[in-house]
C-alpha cells in the first residue's frame, strides 16, 4: 500500500487532552447539545434531549446482525459522563475520550485532536505497523505466549467478556505495546464510527475506539 504523507498521534486522544482542547476552543461536543426539532421532523418531544449511544452488553446471546441489541441511546451520556448521568471519567485521564465528536465547521485547529488520522487508507497503513499480510498488527498470533497485545473482547462477543486482558471497558492508551510504527491502540480499546465515502457510517466498527 502506498499513501501520501499524513499526521497521526501516537495514541488516541485522551480525556486529559480533550478537556484541554474543548476548554481552550470553547466547543461543546454534539453529545452535549440538545437536538434541534427542525433536524428531526416527526420526533417525539421527549426524545429531543442531549445524549449518545452507549455500549450495553446484553445478558444473553443476541442476533449479531442487529447492532441495536448492544447499543443503547442514553440521555445525558457525553465525554465526561461516558455511561450516562451517574458515570464519570474520574481517574481516567489517560483513557481514550469517547462521545467526543465536534463539528469541523467550528474551526478545529490543525494541531488539535482532529489531526488524529486513523481512517482508511492512511489509518489502515498505520494500523499495519509495517507488517504486510500478518493477521494482526503484531503478527499472526492473537496472544503470543499468552500475552494480550490489545484491549479486545475475550469470550462470547456481546454477551460475556472474560476480561483476560485485565480491562472490562477502556484502558490507558499506552497499556499495550505500540505497533511497528510506534502507534498505540490502532486495534482494540474503543469503538470507532468509520466514515465511508466522506459520510459517517451507521454501523459501529471495532477499531481504535470502544463504547
Amino acid at each position: 500500500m502506498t499513501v501520501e504523507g499524513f499526521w497521526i498521534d501516537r495514541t488516541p486522544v485522551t480525556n486529559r487532552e480533550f478537556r484541554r482542547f474543548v476548554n481552550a476552543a470553547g466547543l461543546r461536543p454534539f453529545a452535549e447539545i440538545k437536538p434541534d426539532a427542525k433536524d428531526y421532523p416527526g420526533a417525539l418531544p421527549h426524545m429531543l434531549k442531549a445524549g449518545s449511544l452507549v455500549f450495553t452488553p446484553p445478558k444473553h446471546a443476541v442476533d449479531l446482525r442487529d447492532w441495536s441489541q448492544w447499543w443503547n441511546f442514553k440521555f445525558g451520556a457525553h465525554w465526561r459522563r461516558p455511561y450516562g448521568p451517574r458515570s464519570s471519567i474520574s481517574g481516567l485521564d489517560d483513557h481514550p475520550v469517547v462521545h467526543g465528536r465536534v463539528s469541523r465547521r467550528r474551526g478545529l485547529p490543525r494541531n488539535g485532536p482532529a489531526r488524529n488520522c486513523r481512517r482508511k487508507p492512511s489509518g489502515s497503513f498505520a494500523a499495519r505497523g509495517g507488517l504486510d499480510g500478518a493477521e494482526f498488527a503484531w503478527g499472526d498470533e492473537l496472544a503470543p505466549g499468552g500475552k494480550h497485545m490489545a484491549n479486545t473482547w475475550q469470550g462470547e462477543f456481546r454477551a460475556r467478556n472474560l476480561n483476560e486482558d485485565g480491562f472490562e471497558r477502556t484502558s490507558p492508551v499506552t497499556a499495550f505495546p505500540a505497533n511497528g510504527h510506534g502507534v498505540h491502540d490502532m486495534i482494540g480499546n474503543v469503538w470507532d464510527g468509520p466514515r465511508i465515502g466522506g459520510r459517517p457510517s451507521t454501523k459501529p466498527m471495532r477499531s481504535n475506539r470502544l463504547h
Side-chain angles (χ1 to χ4, degrees):
M1 176 185 293
T2 301
V3 297
E4 296 181 358
F6 61 93
W7 287 98
I8 186 168
D9 288 336
R10 291 181 59 250
T11 70
V13 177
T14 64
N15 287 316
R16 176 187 292 109
E17 292 173 322
F18 195 72
R19 181 186 302 112
R20 292 172 181 166
F21 169 67
V22 294
N23 288 343
L27 296 175
R28 294 179 66 199
F30 285 117
E32 295 185 71
I33 302 173
K34 179 181 178 180
D36 190 329
K38 293 184 297 184
D39 296 328
Y40 300 92
L44 298 175
H46 72 276
M47 293 298 294
L48 293 174
K49 299 178 182 178
S52 188
L53 286 175
V54 175
F55 178 64
T56 308
K59 299 182 183 301
H60 53 81
V62 297
D63 185 349
L64 298 183
R65 295 170 296 181
D66 182 7
W67 59 267
S68 68
Q69 296 295 309
W70 56 89
W71 285 99
N72 292 317
F73 188 86
K74 287 194 176 183
F75 298 135
H78 52 76
W79 73 275
R80 288 177 287 112
R81 307 282 184 189
Y83 310 124
R86 296 185 180 181
S87 63
S88 78
I89 56 172
S90 177
L92 303 180
D93 277 356
D94 294 327
H95 287 231
V97 66
V98 294
H99 312 301
R101 185 184 173 210
V102 294
S103 174
R104 290 181 177 272
R105 292 177 293 182
R106 295 293 301 275
L108 291 180
R110 291 186 65 81
N111 62 343
R115 78 169 186 261
N116 204 315
C117 180
R118 290 173 173 251
R119 295 189 175 96
K120 296 181 178 181
S122 53
S124 295
F125 179 85
R128 281 290 176 185
L131 295 181
D132 186 17
E135 185 73 15
F136 305 101
W138 51 84
D140 291 315
E141 190 176 350
L142 176 61
K147 179 180 179 181
H148 288 278
M149 303 296 287
N151 181 357
T152 58
W153 190 283
Q154 299 89 49
E156 185 180 358
F157 191 48
R158 312 297 202 276
R160 185 186 182 196
N161 187 355
L162 300 177
N163 305 330
E164 293 173 349
D165 57 11
F167 299 97
E168 181 178 5
R169 290 279 186 168
T170 60
S171 56
V173 294
T174 58
F176 295 90
N179 67 16
H181 292 318
V183 183
H184 292 266
D185 277 359
M186 289 302 295
I187 295 176
N189 207 1
V190 288
W191 292 86
D192 190 15
R195 285 178 179 269
I196 300 175
R199 302 175 64 181
S201 169
T202 58
K203 296 183 179 181
M205 167 180 159
R206 185 71 171 178
S207 179
N208 63 307
R209 302 282 190 267
L210 165 71
H211 280 269

